[in-house]
Amino acid sequence: MIEKAAEGREETFRGTIQFLKKRAAESNVIVTHAQIAGKLNISLDEFNTCYISDEADAELFPLLRSQYPDLIGNTQIIHIWFTEEIEVPDPPGPWDPDEE
């Protein structure tokens, strides 16, 4: 039997926010989660939920880029995961005392 886990790529909300804040800090600017949430027109609680889960509605990413063009521009921070196929041995059959 061969098992194969999911593979894929998706834009990472937490990674994008970390990139934005790092770029801002390089310019001696502090950007808070509350400020970003305000620019995205979402509550701080919703922002924090997205940040912690690293999942956000797809429309938030272009909005982030449009609100912070000098810090993000057209950059996309992507989370990519790879898996490998694993050969799982068949389970042993019932015990047969004659095989010993």
Side-chain angles (χ1 to χ4, degrees), residues 9-100:
R9 67 185 258 150
E10 62 186 20
E11 205 160 2
T12 167
F13 187 76
R14 185 182 317 121
T16 302
I17 300 303
Q18 290 170 345
F19 178 80
L20 183 155
K21 291 177 84 169
K22 180 181 178 200
R23 292 288 304 271
E26 290 170 356
S27 301
N28 295 318
V29 174
I30 296 174
V31 179
T32 67
H33 287 188
Q35 291 170 327
I36 299 168
K39 293 236 183 191
L40 295 176
N41 200 29
I42 60 175
S43 71
L44 184 56
D45 285 340
E46 185 178 350
F47 176 92
N48 287 332
T49 298
C50 293
Y51 188 83
I52 291 167
S53 69
D54 199 16
E55 295 179 1
D57 291 336
E59 64 266 6
L60 290 181
F61 294 100
L63 184 56
L64 264 172
R65 286 189 280 282
S66 72
Q67 293 297 316
Y68 294 97
D70 53 330
L71 298 175
I72 299 178
N74 288 326
T75 304
Q76 288 186 332
I77 309 300
I78 303 292
H79 173 87
I80 301 173
W81 60 95
F82 298 96
T83 58
E84 61 184 76
E85 293 181 352
I86 301 171
E87 183 72 34
V88 180
D90 292 330
W95 179 68
D96 184 356
D98 292 333
E99 289 184 9
E100 291 184 353

